């Protein structure tokens, strides 16, 4: 029995030695191609190497986490949608304000450029540019022209007064030369637009019948009737009662002195008689009158009004009155 055990041990060692040699040979062959991981003792785990490639499980975990992050980001994006819309609305408002400011700046720049260009232009060129945008008025003036434009056109203006009118100026140097009118008043109103022109003739040394002023009145009456049409004369005579004696009875009768009567000049001066005429077309209304000043000198007067500008002025006055209440 002992011999049998000895024989078995010898056989086992021989086989183990051959297996060990085969194992060493196998590892030697592997070393030629690739170096295997070191064989660790039992119950020991190899320390992870830095930047080592992940396995299938790691890849799967990464994919799951990536998908979760994408879903979370999508939910966050959807949750922030109103904020994004608000931001876009704010941006639109900002862009609109920026556009408005840009337009204001551009308008101001254009105005400065126009002023600079205007300053560099000759006076005649500036006058022509003003005239192109206006309508000619009597006595060389222009309807709707402002104070500044009227001065630019060569007129000298001095502040004046006229009852119930605003922004009244005396035109001391009208471009249209005439021998009839001594004083010309331009009324610009609260809108600073010429809408009324009042011209007074030169005082005349007249006779008691007021022949000189009546001759001038009739001449302008014909001219204004031809130009504007719709002529209508208004005469308020001096009227009085006169007692007539017939035998033993007396009778009072009412009399009226005619235009150009023996004392017509005095009657006009004292306001006992009045004489004026009106004319008009679709755009302009005119009043022609006869007057006598305190010194007994007669003169005519002409009042021109632009209907459209008059209505605009009255509306502006009404609006301002309401605002002041």
């Amino acid at each position: 029995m002992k011999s049998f055990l000895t024989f078995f041990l010898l056989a086992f060692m021989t086989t183990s030695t051959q297996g060990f040699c085969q194992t060493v040979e196998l590892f030697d062959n592997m070393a030629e191609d690739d170096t295997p991981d070191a064989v660790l003792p039992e119950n020991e785990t190899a320390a992870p190497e830095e930047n080592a490639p992940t396995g299938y499980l790691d890849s799967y975990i990464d994919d799951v986490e990536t998908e979760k992050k994408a879903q979370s980001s999508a939910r966050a994006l959807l949750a922030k949608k109103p904020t994004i819309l608000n931001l876009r609305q704010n941006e639109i408002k900002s862009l609109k304000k920026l556009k408005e400011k840009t337009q204001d700046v551009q308008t101001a720049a254009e105005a400065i450029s126009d002023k600079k260009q205007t300053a560099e232009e000759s006076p005649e060129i500036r006058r022509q540019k003003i005239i192109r945008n206006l309508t000619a008025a009597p006595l060389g003036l222009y309807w709707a022209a402002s104070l500044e434009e009227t001065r630019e056109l060569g007129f000298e203006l001095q502040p004046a007064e006229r009852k119930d009118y605003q922004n009244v100026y005396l035109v001391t140097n009208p471009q249209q030369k005439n021998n009839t009118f001594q004083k010309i008043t331009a009324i610009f109103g609260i809108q600073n637009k010429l809408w009324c022109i009042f011209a007074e003739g030169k005082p005349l040394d007249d006779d008691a019948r007021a022949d000189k002023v009546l001759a001038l009145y009739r001449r302008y009456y014909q001219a204004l009737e031809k130009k504007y049409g719709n002529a209508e004369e208004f005469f308020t005579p001096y009227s009085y009662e006169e007692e007539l004696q017939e035998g033993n009875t007396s009778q009072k009768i009412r009399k009226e002195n005619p235009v150009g009567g023996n004392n017509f000049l005095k009657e006009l001066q004292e306001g006992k008689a009045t004489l004026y005429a009106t004319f008009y077309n679709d755009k302009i209304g005119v009043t022609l009158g006869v007057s006598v000043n305190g010194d007994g000198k007669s003169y005519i007067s002409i009042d021109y009004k632009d209907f459209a500008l008059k209505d605009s002025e009255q509306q502006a006055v009404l609006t301002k009155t309401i605002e002041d209440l």
Side-chain angles (χ1 to χ4, degrees), residues 79-301:
K80 291 183 178 180
K81 188 174 181 181
T83 305
I84 293 172
L85 289 176
N86 290 335
L87 288 174
R88 288 179 178 174
Q89 290 175 356
N90 291 334
E91 289 175 357
I92 291 172
K93 291 180 181 179
S94 299
L95 288 174
K96 185 176 180 181
K97 290 182 179 179
L98 179 60
K99 184 178 180 181
E100 292 175 353
K101 289 182 179 180
T102 303
Q103 290 177 345
D104 292 341
V105 171
Q106 184 177 358
T107 301
E110 290 175 355
I112 294 172
S113 178
D114 290 342
K115 287 182 179 180
K116 183 178 180 181
Q117 184 177 1
T118 301
E120 294 173 352
E121 292 172 346
S122 66
E124 182 59 29
I125 293 177
R126 293 199 298 270
R127 283 193 290 267
Q128 292 302 320
K129 288 180 67 175
I130 293 173
I131 290 172
R132 281 199 297 268
N133 298 321
L134 300 172
T135 303
L139 304 170
L141 294 165
Y142 287 87
W143 296 119
S146 65
L147 281 164
E148 297 75 18
E149 289 172 333
T150 302
R151 287 192 176 99
E152 188 71 32
L153 291 173
F155 292 91
E156 295 179 5
L157 303 176
Q158 294 180 355
E161 291 184 2
R162 190 180 180 188
K163 187 179 179 181
D164 300 327
Y165 290 84
Q166 299 184 54
N167 227 354
V168 181
Y169 285 83
L170 188 66
V171 182
T172 59
N173 184 29
Q175 288 191 341
Q176 180 177 334
K177 304 300 180 182
N178 67 83
N179 296 320
T180 302
F181 300 102
Q182 174 178 290
K183 185 167 68 174
I184 299 173
T185 304
I187 301 171
F188 296 88
I190 63 174
Q191 299 183 101
N192 192 20
K193 293 180 179 180
L194 179 62
W195 69 275
C196 179
I197 302 170
F198 183 72
E200 291 183 8
K202 293 179 180 179
L204 302 172
D205 292 321
D206 217 337
D207 56 26
R209 300 174 64 92
D211 286 332
K212 291 182 179 179
V213 74
L214 285 176
L216 191 60
Y217 166 82
R218 294 188 179 102
R219 179 158 67 90
Y220 272 86
Y221 183 101
Q222 293 176 357
L224 292 170
E225 182 181 22
K226 184 175 182 179
K227 183 172 183 178
Y228 297 102
N230 300 298
E232 189 174 0
E233 187 173 72
F234 300 87
F235 171 57
T236 303
Y238 170 56
S239 62
Y240 57 95
E241 288 184 348
E242 188 176 273
E243 187 173 349
L244 294 178
Q245 189 73 29
E246 293 183 2
N248 294 327
T249 63
S250 62
Q251 184 180 359
K252 289 183 178 181
I253 61 172
R254 190 164 193 82
K255 286 190 172 183
E256 292 181 349
N257 290 343
V259 174
N262 292 333
N263 295 310
F264 190 54
L265 186 71
K266 191 172 185 61
E267 292 167 2
L268 289 171
Q269 183 181 26
E270 294 176 352
K272 294 178 179 179
T274 59
L275 176 64
Y276 69 94
T278 60
F279 315 84
Y280 66 91
N281 58 20
D282 294 338
K283 297 181 178 180
I284 306 298
V286 186
T287 300
L288 170 66
V290 176
S291 303
V292 178
N293 63 23
D295 296 330
K297 294 185 177 183
S298 62
Y299 63 93
I300 65 168
S301 62

Side-chain angles (χ1 to χ4, degrees), residues 47-59:
E49 297 182 4
E50 294 184 1
N51 300 325
T54 59
Y56 169 77
L57 183 59
D58 292 338
S59 298

Side-chain angles (χ1 to χ4, degrees), residues 27-44:
F27 275 88
D28 288 341
N29 292 335
M30 292 179 61
E32 293 177 0
D33 297 332
D34 191 8
T35 302
D37 293 336
V39 179
L40 297 175
E42 267 186 58
N43 301 326
E44 290 191 20

